[in-house]
Amino acid sequence: MSGLWADLADLVLPADCAGCRERRPGLRHGVCPACVVTLGALRPRAARPTPAPPGLPSCVALGPYAGPLREALLAYKEHGRHGLARPLGALLAEVVAAAVGGARPVALVPVPDTAAAARSRYGDHLDRLARHCAARLNRSGWAVRVHRPLRASPRPDSVTLDSAGRTAAAEAAFQPRSTGPVRSRAGGAAPVVVLLDDIVTTGVTLAAASRVLTATGWAPSVAAVLAATEKRHQS
């Protein structure tokens, strides 16, 4: 991806690569050259869980939740390496561009963090990615704005829940803010609503958010994510 190396090379981070965790003395880049090549070779593609939950919009992912992409997301999201927001946001911009299919007005709607999650991560991690994503697209001639029509309610740790419990928790996870439906700018074309998340696994979270958005006039045309988990098939 053009500019990805420049984004990553600007970072002055710990000596371990965020993509492969290899420690290299004097490393002054967030991701080593080999992992940059791997990330730059990823191309957005359709990603849909099986079975797909009701209300899940079409979804496009940069790549599978594995390798350097997985490690970079974990380093950013769970280990406080916030400088990775810019290059990851640039990669997310590629996904949005592929999902929308042309330079047209776009409304980006990130899935919000709960207040507790935002505190633990020193800010809403996806909102930060969305802002960098929008900035990259705007510099490329798109008309893009980030909107926040959703708020997240406290919910239990999904690790402790079974499939039915995760579905029930997702149903109660999002509430609309007091905003009206998405509108066009100055009588122009109505923006395409793109729902953003970092990872799609079962699709339950994206489907729940999409249902709330649709009910309040913000129906997403597509969801864009960085990574999609893949089912392991037993031999």
Side-chain angles (χ1 to χ4, degrees):
M1 174 181 174
S2 176
L4 177 59
W5 174 251
D7 286 335
L8 292 165
D10 284 345
L11 303 179
V12 181
L13 293 172
D16 59 313
C17 167
C20 63
R21 303 292 181 91
E22 183 177 345
R23 297 191 66 85
R24 298 187 178 185
L27 181 68
R28 294 181 60 83
H29 309 297
V31 178
C32 72
C35 288
V36 169
V37 170
T38 300
L39 291 172
L42 295 173
R43 294 293 178 267
R45 58 186 176 86
R48 194 161 188 85
T50 303
L56 179 68
S58 61
C59 184
V60 178
L62 180 67
Y65 186 55
L69 181 58
R70 175 183 183 274
E71 296 303 324
L73 278 169
L74 286 173
Y76 166 65
K77 184 176 176 179
E78 305 297 344
H79 303 302
R81 295 178 70 162
H82 294 161
L84 290 166
R86 187 173 70 172
L88 289 174
L91 290 172
L92 188 57
E94 276 204 356
V95 182
V96 172
V100 173
R104 43 196 297 205
V106 174
L108 299 179
V109 178
V111 171
D113 267 343
T114 62
R119 285 194 300 271
S120 70
R121 294 168 179 157
Y122 300 96
D124 187 318
H125 77 287
L126 201 62
D127 182 74
R128 194 183 297 117
L129 287 182
R131 287 187 278 110
H132 283 287
C133 173
R136 177 59 64 98
L137 289 168
N138 282 321
R139 287 197 297 271
S140 299
W142 293 60
V144 180
R145 294 179 65 185
V146 179
H147 298 265
R148 301 168 184 84
L150 294 176
R151 61 181 177 86
S153 303
R155 53 187 181 269
D157 188 345
S158 62
V159 174
T160 66
L161 303 175
D162 59 14
S163 177
R166 285 193 295 272
T167 300
E171 289 296 330
F174 304 108
Q175 300 294 327
R177 295 185 184 274
S178 57
T179 60
V182 63
R183 300 183 185 279
S184 61
R185 290 184 181 180
V192 177
V193 178
V194 180
L195 184 59
L196 301 181
D197 208 348
D198 51 357
I199 304 162
V200 59
T201 302
T202 64
V204 167
T205 297
L206 287 171
S210 180
R211 286 193 292 271
V212 174
L213 289 169
T214 298
T216 54
W218 286 80
S221 296
V222 67
V225 302
L226 282 168
T229 59
E230 297 182 333
K231 284 189 175 181
R232 295 181 179 180
H233 298 282
Q234 294 182 346
S235 57

